[in-house]
Amino acid sequence: QSVKYIDSASKRYHKRIQKYADKNMSKNKTDKKIVKKIKRELSNTVKMKTFDIFLDQLSKKEKIECRNFIHNNFEIVEELVQGYLKKDPVKAAYFLHVLYKHNICSLRPNDNILNGLKSYLYVNGIYCRHNAMMVLYKAGVPEKIVESLKILNQMDISVHERIVSVGLRHYTGDIDLLIKLLLKEFDGFQVWIQEAICNFIIASGESYQKEILTILNNPEYDQKIHLLCIRYMEMYPYKMAYHLLLSIVENKDANWQYKMGAINALGNYPSEQTVNILKRMLHSPNWNIRSSAAKSLAKQKLTYYELTDVFNGNDRYAREIMQYFLEERKLEEV
């Protein structure tokens, strides 16, 4: 497959990089003169683009060779991280993209490079901050992730929440350790970061039920955080959370969204008490709550006989919505 170069000089530079790589690939030592020259050349964005193309081709041929080449020339990366920090935000963002794309910083993560990457979070450019965070996520050092989130949390800048909420999914390190560190600093984060952390924990499994219940029990947290905690208890049923969920449903002054979330969760906590409270919620004046109650009741796998009081009652909507979810359950079981 042919490669389109920006100009003839880029094509010549590609050949020069290839020649150097062929000599260096299997060695543990590098030619310092050549390394110095490459560092100077890669400060040019056009040559960085050529280098990007070279790594693309190298990784397609042999990923191990590509890793060895990067590993043997890692001192180049250290200086470039500092150098591109002084450049235009668009050029800096592209450099960070190359680091992320070729998984460069995860091969030999060290403080000099990772601290340098944190400095890009202060650059006035959304793409720069995004790409810097993506490189840090891929580097997989949990302490640096927490430190970076603290920087974003303290800065009065425009930061899209997806930098955290989606970015955390790209984290490649010890997830359990990262979550423990994030929970330790949880109270100090703004709501949008707390929200992203909760979503990350939800995606990470049922090992954090106790910690999530502690957050749910604390009235000082934002409603968005409580709703995510209720969602967690729905996905990963926790016996210790049952009575709290019941109390939310039975609280007349509770926000309807809280009630609806707790009712959805109770669908995964089968018991006679659950059935009784869900039947009562079928007659709520809020149709969202009634619909959720019917859906959770259907999960209890009750017979029509056990629902006689609903079908023989005077509440037409309760009968119809209950019938709808029972039929939906039958279709799912086929």
Side-chain angles (χ1 to χ4, degrees):
Q1 187 176 359
S2 60
V3 177
K4 293 183 179 180
Y5 297 98
I6 296 173
D7 51 31
S8 58
S10 297
K11 187 174 182 179
R12 291 195 299 273
Y13 183 64
H14 186 284
K15 289 181 179 178
R16 195 156 73 247
I17 285 283
Q18 182 65 62
K19 185 177 180 181
Y20 168 67
D22 289 340
K23 293 180 179 179
N24 173 257
M25 204 78 73
S26 60
K27 298 178 182 178
N28 292 323
K29 294 183 179 180
T30 57
D31 188 319
K32 291 185 178 181
K33 290 183 179 180
I34 296 179
V35 168
K36 187 176 181 179
K37 186 177 182 181
I38 290 176
K39 279 188 285 190
R40 185 175 64 253
E41 291 176 332
L42 289 182
S43 296
N44 180 297
T45 309
V46 174
K47 289 183 177 177
M48 176 60 71
K49 174 62 180 174
T50 305
F51 185 65
D52 182 14
I53 294 171
F54 165 73
L55 290 178
D56 276 335
Q57 292 183 323
L58 190 60
S59 61
K60 285 176 184 177
K61 290 193 293 184
E62 183 56 71
K63 288 188 176 181
I64 294 177
E65 287 185 0
C66 186
R67 284 200 298 270
N68 287 341
F69 176 74
I70 295 170
H71 191 277
N72 292 344
N73 295 280
F74 216 69
E75 62 181 279
I76 297 175
V77 179
E78 289 191 37
E79 291 203 19
L80 290 175
V81 166
Q82 297 301 323
Y84 270 88
L85 190 58
K86 302 170 187 175
K87 291 184 177 291
D88 177 86
V90 175
K91 294 179 179 180
Y94 176 67
F95 165 67
L96 294 169
H97 166 72
V98 173
L99 294 183
Y100 172 78
K101 178 181 176 182
H102 299 289
N103 206 22
I104 291 174
C105 291
S106 61
L107 295 178
R108 282 175 59 187
N110 64 57
D111 281 345
N112 289 337
I113 288 180
L114 298 181
N115 289 333
L117 289 170
K118 288 193 299 178
S119 299
Y120 283 86
L121 299 177
Y122 295 97
V123 174
N124 185 23
I126 185 69
Y127 296 109
C128 218
R129 297 185 202 111
H130 174 271
N131 290 355
M133 285 303 298
M134 294 304 291
V135 177
L136 285 162
Y137 291 133
K138 220 169 186 180
V141 180
E143 293 82 3
K144 298 302 177 183
I145 301 300
V146 176
E147 290 170 11
S148 299
L149 292 181
K150 283 183 176 180
I151 292 173
L152 295 179
N153 185 67
Q154 293 170 0
M155 295 177 67
D156 185 21
I157 54 175
S158 173
V159 180
H160 200 290
E161 58 90 15
R162 286 174 64 86
I163 290 180
V164 182
S165 61
V166 176
L168 280 169
R169 301 177 195 172
H170 295 264
Y171 175 71
T172 60
D174 186 328
I175 291 177
D176 185 59
L177 178 56
L178 175 59
I179 289 177
K180 286 177 180 177
L181 292 174
L182 290 172
L183 288 172
K184 186 177 179 181
E185 303 291 338
F186 193 78
D187 290 354
F189 289 122
Q190 295 180 45
V191 173
W192 68 273
I193 295 182
Q194 290 179 341
E195 194 175 354
I197 292 170
C198 286
N199 279 317
F200 179 57
I201 294 173
I202 287 172
S204 300
E206 61 182 352
S207 302
Y208 312 98
Q209 294 165 320
K210 185 177 179 181
E211 292 83 355
I212 293 297
L213 180 58
T214 300
I215 295 173
L216 182 56
N217 261 316
N218 190 334
E220 294 184 5
Y221 289 112
D222 189 87
Q223 176 182 315
K224 292 178 181 178
I225 306 306
H226 284 152
L227 289 173
L228 286 170
C229 291
I230 292 172
R231 173 64 176 156
Y232 185 91
M233 294 307 170
E234 177 186 355
M235 293 181 65
Y236 311 107
Y238 183 43
K239 184 178 178 180
M240 300 299 292
Y242 181 62
H243 290 292
L244 178 58
L245 294 172
L246 287 176
S247 67
I248 293 172
V249 176
E250 292 178 324
N251 184 356
K252 294 180 181 179
D253 298 323
N255 180 291
W256 72 267
Q257 290 175 301
Y258 277 23
K259 281 194 174 187
M260 188 175 72
I263 288 168
N264 288 333
L266 285 176
N268 295 328
Y269 293 77
S271 75
E272 184 178 349
Q273 190 175 7
T274 296
V275 170
N276 290 335
I277 196 170
L278 291 176
K279 283 183 177 180
R280 291 206 307 274
M281 290 301 110
L282 279 175
H283 308 293
S284 168
N286 186 306
W287 72 270
N288 290 291
I289 290 177
R290 300 175 80 175
S291 177
S292 293
K295 188 173 183 179
S296 289
L297 266 174
K299 287 184 178 180
Q300 308 303 303
K301 298 185 178 180
L302 303 173
T303 64
Y304 276 90
Y305 176 77
E306 291 171 305
L307 292 168
T308 301
D309 52 341
V310 177
F311 290 113
N312 289 343
N314 297 322
D315 191 331
R316 178 182 173 184
Y317 181 82
R319 295 196 304 269
E320 291 179 351
I321 195 67
M322 194 69 248
Q323 182 69 39
Y324 171 81
F325 281 112
L326 287 175
E327 289 177 0
E328 186 180 68
R329 190 189 78 189
K330 280 185 179 180
L331 290 174
E332 290 175 354
E333 291 175 348
V334 173

